[in-house]
Amino acid sequence: MGLLGVESVADRVAALTGREVAATIALGASHEWQLHRVELADATSVFVKETATERPELEGLFRAEALGLNWLAGSFGSPVPRVLGWDARTLALDWVEQDEPSPAAAERFGHQLAAMHLVGADRFGADWPGFIGPLPLDNTPTRNWPEFYVQRRVLPYLERAVNRGALTPADARLVEKVLDRVEELAGEPEPPARIHGDLWNGNVMWGTNGVTVVDPAAHGGHREADLAMLSLFGLPHLDRVRDAYNHAAPLADGWKARIPLHQLHPLLVHVCLYGAAYRTTTIEAARTALRVES
């Protein structure tokens, strides 16, 4: 987008937003990028992610996030931040003023998540190459969800995990047994939902105006995937979220039993990122998925 010659984050945010910057505050790092709070001259606060240099392996990262957020925002009241601007090295979003989690906010979030999912998608996949964290995410559409899940969400990370030595060939064979049975384990077919795709607790921000979800790996997918990921690492008032969701958009019978199936993808991503520390949880999820009565 023509802004890579501008070096300072303040200058890049000013160029992206067309507004004067008053101050920048460094917030540390996450994965391969730096985080900032930028104060504009009109007292507006902006959240900014930036990479220090152009890195080939991260090419398209902020484009994918911006496109994903704008796509998710296509549902009325969708709980995503507004994209203020982006280039290859920078992403500027509305600032979220954080607050304590509350039951009321959780219930509202459950309804918002259901509404976002029900907007739907025209395919399993997306029109842009994706990322999950710093890892590439293949969004090439496929015919149905079982095929999409196997080919685009599990096998690439299973292979990567084995190649780096974080999983053994025997571990891989166990996961492959799950994949061999995906069609029977997946339940009744559902149309593609408009999902966040990386909806763990750390990407759920409890703000003064309710919940905002950030850092999506947005695509047309299975709506149970978002709900399964919410339970993977815990979420305050999760039962309130799920009850409100189920009231707005009832889940298919057996959804609880399918949680481990949907958790295989994010767990394998964690194995790829952090190594064998997540091996035991991944293997247990595979075993639990296989124990489901068909």
Side-chain angles (χ1 to χ4, degrees):
M1 299 187 59
L3 298 173
L4 295 181
V6 183
E7 290 304 321
S8 79
V9 64
D11 285 345
R12 288 203 301 276
V13 171
L16 288 170
T17 63
R19 296 153 78 180
E20 183 181 351
V21 170
T24 63
I25 303 165
L27 301 176
S30 175
H31 292 299
E32 312 297 328
W33 42 88
Q34 300 295 314
L35 310 177
H36 304 270
R37 178 172 181 163
V38 174
E39 301 292 343
L40 302 180
D42 62 6
T44 301
S45 295
V46 179
F47 177 74
V48 178
K49 298 166 70 170
E50 68 156 350
T51 56
T53 58
E54 289 186 83
R55 296 179 53 178
E57 66 271 27
L58 298 179
E59 182 180 355
L61 173 74
F62 293 145
R63 176 181 183 270
E65 185 167 347
L67 291 177
L69 285 169
N70 286 333
W71 184 67
L72 293 175
S75 61
F76 179 75
S78 181
V80 297
R82 184 172 48 128
V83 177
L84 302 177
W86 62 274
D87 62 34
R89 282 178 49 195
T90 318
L91 177 67
L93 307 173
D94 275 338
W95 179 263
V96 177
E97 200 63 48
Q98 297 194 60
D99 200 356
E100 291 298 317
S102 71
E107 290 178 11
R108 181 184 176 200
F109 174 46
H111 286 110
Q112 289 176 304
L113 186 62
M116 186 176 79
H117 285 171
L118 291 177
V119 171
D122 59 3
R123 67 192 78 183
F124 291 103
D127 292 335
W128 56 86
F131 282 84
I132 185 161
L135 298 181
L137 188 70
D138 187 354
N139 282 332
T140 305
T142 57
R143 295 172 301 170
N144 55 52
W145 183 80
E147 181 182 353
F148 179 79
Y149 192 60
V150 171
Q151 297 297 328
R152 309 294 183 229
R153 290 298 177 264
V154 177
L155 281 180
Y157 304 98
L158 179 61
E159 180 180 357
R160 190 179 189 121
V162 172
N163 287 343
R164 68 169 294 182
L167 293 181
T168 68
D171 296 335
R173 286 193 291 273
L174 177 63
V175 174
E176 287 165 353
K177 287 181 181 178
V178 179
L179 301 185
D180 289 342
R181 293 181 54 193
V182 161
E183 290 198 20
E184 66 177 280
L185 296 174
E188 291 299 315
E190 291 205 3
R194 190 165 299 214
I195 73 169
H196 179 282
D198 193 10
L199 198 57
W200 72 287
N201 179 43
N203 287 341
V204 177
M205 302 184 68
W206 300 84
T208 54
N209 295 316
V211 168
T212 300
V213 296
V214 297
D215 296 345
H219 63 280
H222 200 301
R223 63 197 182 113
E224 290 177 10
D226 274 352
L227 294 164
M229 200 161 184
L230 284 175
S231 66
L232 184 56
F233 300 114
L235 181 79
H237 308 297
L238 177 59
D239 286 345
R240 296 273 189 140
V241 173
R242 291 198 297 209
D243 287 349
Y245 183 102
N246 223 353
H247 182 266
L251 292 159
D253 290 344
W255 67 268
K256 286 185 179 179
R258 291 188 290 273
I259 288 175
L261 172 66
H262 290 287
Q263 289 178 341
L264 269 180
H265 168 236
L267 283 169
L268 284 167
V269 169
H270 275 73
V271 172
C272 293
L273 289 174
Y274 305 113
Y278 286 91
R279 173 188 174 271
T280 300
T281 310
T282 303
I283 296 309
E284 184 55 34
R287 288 175 176 153
T288 304
L290 287 170
R291 286 198 292 266
V292 172
E293 293 293 334
S294 58

